[in-house]
Amino acid sequence: MRRSMLFFLCIASFLVTTGCWNRTELDTLGIAAALGIDKLSEQEYLVSVQIVNPVAISSKKGTGEAPVYVVEERGKTIQEALRRMTTQIPRKVYLAHLRMVVFGEDVARGGLVDIIDFLVRDHEMRGDTFMVIAEQGRANKILGIIPRLEEVPANKLFKSIEMSQANWAPTIGVHLDNFIKGAISLGRQPVATGVKIIGAPEAGTSIDMYKKTFRVPYIKIPSIAVFKKDKLIGYLNESESKGYNYILNTVKSTIGVVSCKDGNATLEIIHSGTKMKGKVVNGKPEIHIYNEIETKISEINCKVDLADKDVIMNLEQKGSETISRVLHSTVVAAQKKYNSDILGFGNAIRRADHKYWKKNARHWDDIFPTLKVIIHVNVHIKEIGTQVNSMKWRYEEQLREVQS
């Protein structure tokens, strides 16, 4: 009886244990680090894939080969172009390790809805992949630039976006999931990261570039791309991009420059907290933005005495006025220049008065440009650094002592 039961359990375990029935050998896959999509015509895409070269990366002595190579193919759909790549390379393109998708500007202006359908439908795609727009350019050119300090170009660009967002507020990294949320939302429009090639693109595609130390082509992250639903409509400039991050409360660290007597002071932001509140007053919606900022003086070349409280208060006031202008420029760009609610004002009104939002959501594009926005900014200086006063002040102080 015991033997019969054991035999039965063994047979049952075979039925529920599938094993590696769909395994794929590693040497049959081409690991894609970045995907580029351009438009050849209304009916055809040019798809580029940055594929990691394992031979070049794994070799400690160096092989003289590029760490990646870019494969291009055309197709009526993205999937068709990807499968057609097997006629060039003996491996299937594997997207599970994709760092970013780069869209040519022509594709982005025409709309990304059809391409996004492929990205979210493919089981290999990850939601934390960055969405990047090639500003005034093509995606395949971005993928071809070989960077410094990182072997894989997609990894370099990925880290550059993260590092710039953490230390220089005009940059933001936008994941695929977040872009989709904005594209299908009535209360907030999506944005993406804008990138641009500085220098001649052809010069940046050779590993001979590593032999140079100056004037090397590189990829810069200059702006935030503005969308209306799934279509690119323009870019925020540096100041407007910084204001976007302040309003969305995504600033981790950055600096601001304010004028003072005979020079400038640099205030390093050590903490920024923003709250957005929507209201409906007498049947009209309005937005209040409250921004509290803590800073420290990281550089000053003014003839001022930092031990004087009035001097500190004056710098704080100028800092508040500077940040207020930055935030105002972003609001004007969103409302007047693009009429695109990238700041999520619609969501703030929805949270504040759901009944009003339900009645007016369909007409938000008409309401948004005239929406009243009130900005409140308070800058506080918490630290002045290891030196109390500037070199200029200390020199002037010695002159006064000699003359007295």
Side-chain angles (χ1 to χ4, degrees):
M1 181 66 181
R2 184 175 297 176
R3 287 185 177 182
S4 300
M5 182 61 70
L6 183 61
F7 177 76
F8 175 78
L9 290 174
C10 290
I11 296 297
S13 68
F14 293 152
L15 297 176
V16 298
T17 306
T18 58
C20 300
W21 63 273
N22 66 339
R23 73 183 187 276
T24 304
E25 298 298 334
L26 203 58
D27 60 2
T28 66
L29 299 176
I31 308 298
L35 179 68
I37 303 173
D38 293 299
K39 206 74 178 280
L40 286 177
S41 67
E42 289 299 320
Q43 303 295 327
E44 196 169 37
Y45 294 105
L46 176 66
V47 179
S48 311
V49 179
Q50 190 181 95
I51 296 179
V52 177
N53 183 356
V55 175
I57 291 178
S58 62
S59 176
K60 295 182 179 180
K61 296 181 179 180
T63 63
E65 299 182 28
V68 298
Y69 54 95
V70 178
V71 181
E72 295 181 344
E73 268 297 351
R74 58 180 63 198
K76 294 179 181 178
T77 65
I78 310 302
Q79 188 67 273
E80 181 183 44
L82 289 172
R83 291 303 178 94
R84 187 169 282 155
M85 288 179 183
T86 57
T87 63
Q88 294 189 43
I89 56 175
R91 300 190 178 197
K92 179 180 177 293
V93 177
Y94 186 57
L95 302 177
H97 295 282
L98 207 64
R99 294 296 243 173
M100 62 188 59
V101 181
V102 183
F103 298 94
E105 186 170 291
D106 54 350
V107 174
R109 289 193 181 275
L112 302 180
V113 63
D114 294 334
I115 299 173
I116 289 176
D117 180 84
F118 159 74
L119 297 178
V120 298
R121 197 176 295 275
D122 192 295
H123 70 279
E124 293 179 356
M125 286 295 301
R126 293 164 42 173
D128 61 351
T129 302
F130 275 157
M131 300 278 286
V132 176
I133 308 300
E135 184 177 343
Q136 300 176 356
R138 297 178 69 85
N140 63 339
K141 300 296 184 182
I142 298 292
L143 265 59
I145 298 295
I146 298 176
R148 298 296 183 91
L149 303 180
E150 291 285 344
E151 289 185 302
V152 179
N155 289 346
K156 187 268 178 185
L157 186 53
F158 187 93
K159 291 179 180 179
S160 293
I161 293 172
E162 288 190 323
M163 185 62 66
S164 183
Q165 181 176 351
N167 296 281
W168 181 236
T171 304
I172 188 169
V174 180
H175 293 142
L176 174 62
D177 285 347
N178 292 333
F179 184 91
I180 294 171
K181 289 177 183 178
I184 63 176
S185 171
L186 293 175
R188 180 180 172 186
Q189 298 294 333
V191 298
T193 308
V195 298
K196 194 174 185 178
I197 297 175
I198 306 300
E202 293 76 16
T205 60
S206 171
I207 58 175
D208 290 338
M209 183 187 67
Y210 285 112
K211 300 175 182 178
K212 298 181 179 180
T213 60
F214 190 57
R215 291 181 180 175
V216 175
Y218 63 94
I219 298 173
K220 189 175 182 178
I221 312 165
S223 59
I224 292 176
V226 179
F227 280 75
K228 192 131 187 199
K229 296 303 178 187
D230 68 314
K231 294 184 178 181
L232 172 70
I233 57 175
Y235 301 91
L236 300 179
N237 62 32
E238 185 175 85
S239 177
E240 294 162 354
S241 297
K242 182 176 286 191
Y244 174 89
N245 280 316
Y246 274 121
I247 294 172
L248 270 294
N249 199 29
T250 55
V251 172
K252 297 178 181 179
S253 177
T254 186
I255 59 98
V257 178
V258 298
S259 62
C260 50
K261 186 178 179 180
D262 298 327
N264 295 296
T266 301
L267 303 182
E268 181 181 347
I269 281 73
I270 55 179
H271 175 74
S272 175
T274 304
K275 292 183 180 180
M276 182 192 301
K277 293 185 179 180
K279 294 181 180 179
V280 178
V281 181
N282 297 324
K284 293 186 177 181
E286 58 184 48
I287 295 291
H288 290 256
I289 298 171
Y290 302 89
N291 186 211
E292 295 288 333
I293 297 176
E294 295 180 359
T295 70
K296 67 178 180 180
I297 298 175
S298 62
E299 182 180 357
I300 188 165
N301 50 35
C302 310
K303 297 177 182 178
V304 293
D305 183 7
L306 293 180
D308 188 340
K309 291 184 178 179
D310 290 337
V311 171
I312 297 296
M313 289 178 63
N314 182 258
L315 290 173
E316 290 177 335
Q317 179 64 29
K318 288 186 175 181
S320 299
E321 292 171 356
T322 300
I323 299 299
S324 294
R325 287 194 295 270
V326 170
L327 270 58
H328 180 71
S329 70
T330 306
V331 172
V332 170
Q335 288 185 305
K336 308 301 182 184
K337 190 190 296 187
Y338 298 121
N339 187 16
S340 177
D341 189 4
I342 56 175
L343 301 169
F345 290 165
N347 285 340
I349 297 298
R350 176 180 55 81
R351 291 191 297 267
D353 194 325
H354 184 72
K355 186 177 180 180
Y356 173 89
W357 177 251
K358 188 175 181 181
K359 181 181 178 181
N360 294 279
R362 292 187 178 183
H363 311 292
W364 189 243
D365 282 350
D366 300 322
I367 299 170
F368 174 70
T370 60
L371 178 68
K372 185 178 181 181
V373 181
I374 301 148
I375 297 170
H376 315 265
V377 177
N378 287 310
V379 171
H380 308 280
I381 296 176
K382 297 295 185 180
E383 302 176 30
I384 61 172
T386 58
Q387 298 293 319
V388 176
N389 286 313
S390 67
M391 297 293 292
K392 283 184 178 180
W393 174 263
R394 290 158 64 184
Y395 178 75
E396 292 289 333
E397 192 175 35
Q398 289 185 44
L399 286 178
R400 286 192 293 270
E401 290 177 357
V402 171
Q403 294 171 357
S404 61

